[in-house]
Amino acid sequence: MQVTNMATSTISEFKTCLSEHPSVVNFRWSITQTWGSSWFFLFSAITIYITSAITLHLLLSLLLSRNRRLSLGPIPAIHSLAVSLISAFIFIGLLLSAVADIHDSRWLWRRTKTTSAFQWLLCFPLGTRPTGRVFFWSYIFYLSRFFHLLRTFFTILQYRKLSSFTLFNQSILLVMSFLWLEFSQSFQVLAILLTTLLYAVVYGYRFWTAIGLPRANFLFVVNCQFVLLGCNLICHFGVLFLHFLKGGCNGMLAWGLNSVLNGMILILFLRFYVRAHLI
């Protein structure tokens, strides 16, 4: 009985820390208060990332023989495990925060009769500002994107491979996560929940295979990416539907750019997939 009470108390404290901590509740995306929130920082970081990756690839091509690879030991496996755990942490934190925000705002929705919990997940009301719980976790997701960039350098060091798709995909995902915060873009709650859930599974699988455990008998990572792209496509149509029929959604200019960038990623992904597996 005592063990059960301790476990319940620990879970309650964990929930409170993730959704009710002052740093979470009082978060505010601001160029003067939030690290990495300026356009200059964003484009500088992307420039440094692309330049560093290309430079490293060229240097290795000049200094090492074509078939020689560098061993990184357990570093890639540790990185995959860390990304999986961070993604799961963001997923849980955002889910709890979204539930808390929905609970706190339910009285307003009953009065207006124009918004529901599911609608809010797809369509922020006009005038929404990037403050509070869900935007705190959106910010943590944005920061986690920089940690993802390390995988590009691991691939260069281990396999001497660098594709334009990798550079473009990583840079665009960083830009999109910035736009979510900068313009309080609608749909970001569902997008982050879906993405972090996928990352928790995919990078957990990569850790699993990196330590020598058996692989799946199908293209596990590719199929997960297809599922994510399909869910995103459906949700984008949902946002468009709500925008025109429910009085408008916040951050639609950023949403439009986000949709174009997602479309470009999908086209490039299909192109590289066909080239790698079907030709």
Side-chain angles (χ1 to χ4, degrees):
M1 187 67 177
Q2 186 177 0
V3 174
T4 302
N5 291 335
M6 289 179 61
T8 303
S9 177
T10 301
I11 293 173
S12 178
E13 290 177 4
F14 182 69
K15 290 181 178 179
T16 301
C17 180
L18 294 184
S19 61
E20 300 297 340
H21 191 277
S23 298
V24 178
V25 177
N26 300 322
F27 172 79
R28 179 182 179 85
W29 172 260
S30 169
I31 193 172
T32 59
Q33 301 177 17
T34 314
W35 183 83
S37 60
S38 69
W39 288 96
F40 175 78
F41 176 89
L42 175 67
F43 288 114
S44 297
I46 292 174
T47 301
I48 292 172
Y49 162 67
I50 294 175
T51 303
S52 300
I54 293 175
T55 302
L56 178 61
H57 185 257
L58 291 175
L59 284 175
L60 290 179
S61 299
L62 291 173
L63 297 176
L64 300 178
S65 61
R66 187 171 185 178
N67 295 325
R68 185 177 177 184
R69 297 180 180 178
L70 296 177
S71 175
L72 299 179
I75 294 176
I78 293 172
H79 177 262
S80 294
L81 178 61
V83 171
S84 179
L85 294 176
I86 291 170
S87 299
F89 186 71
I90 295 173
F91 175 85
I92 295 171
L94 180 58
L95 183 63
L96 293 174
S97 294
V99 170
D101 277 350
I102 289 170
H103 181 269
D104 291 349
S105 304
R106 190 175 297 164
W107 66 273
L108 178 62
W109 298 344
R110 287 173 178 170
R111 289 178 59 188
T112 60
K113 297 182 180 180
T114 59
T115 309
S116 65
F118 181 73
Q119 181 180 329
W120 177 80
L121 291 174
L122 285 174
C123 177
F124 285 152
L126 294 175
T128 299
R129 295 288 179 262
T131 60
R133 298 182 181 93
V134 297
F135 289 102
F136 171 85
W137 290 106
S138 182
Y139 176 61
I140 299 300
F141 177 80
Y142 166 63
L143 295 181
S144 73
R145 292 303 321 169
F146 292 97
F147 191 58
H148 281 256
L149 301 182
L150 293 176
R151 185 172 176 81
T152 302
F153 299 97
F154 296 156
T155 303
I156 295 172
L157 291 170
Q158 283 185 299
Y159 306 108
R160 303 266 303 281
K161 292 181 180 180
L162 178 64
S163 67
S164 56
F165 172 74
T166 297
L167 295 177
F168 178 82
N169 183 54
Q170 294 285 10
S171 300
I172 290 305
L173 290 174
L174 190 57
V175 170
M176 288 194 298
S177 60
F178 179 90
L179 292 176
W180 291 345
L181 287 157
E182 184 69 13
F183 296 100
S184 304
Q185 184 192 310
S186 295
F187 167 58
Q188 64 177 280
V189 176
L190 272 182
I192 296 173
L193 288 174
L194 291 171
T195 303
T196 51
L197 180 61
L198 173 84
Y199 285 161
V201 174
V202 166
Y203 280 90
Y205 171 76
R206 284 173 172 165
F207 170 75
W208 173 276
T209 57
I211 61 176
L213 295 173
R215 295 176 177 271
N217 294 325
F218 58 95
L219 298 173
F220 181 82
V221 174
V222 172
N223 280 280
C224 287
Q225 290 171 330
F226 271 126
V227 170
L228 177 63
L229 289 170
C231 291
N232 280 339
L233 183 62
I234 294 172
C235 290
H236 274 291
F237 280 113
V239 173
L240 196 62
F241 174 82
L242 292 172
H243 176 66
F244 286 109
L245 294 184
K246 297 293 184 178
C249 299
N250 200 69
M252 287 303 291
L253 181 61
W255 173 87
L257 179 58
N258 195 329
S259 299
V260 172
L261 295 176
N262 269 320
M264 295 173 66
I265 290 175
L266 177 59
I267 292 171
L268 289 173
F269 178 78
L270 291 173
R271 177 186 174 188
F272 276 87
Y273 174 79
V274 171
R275 179 181 296 178
H277 300 282
L278 299 181
I279 295 179

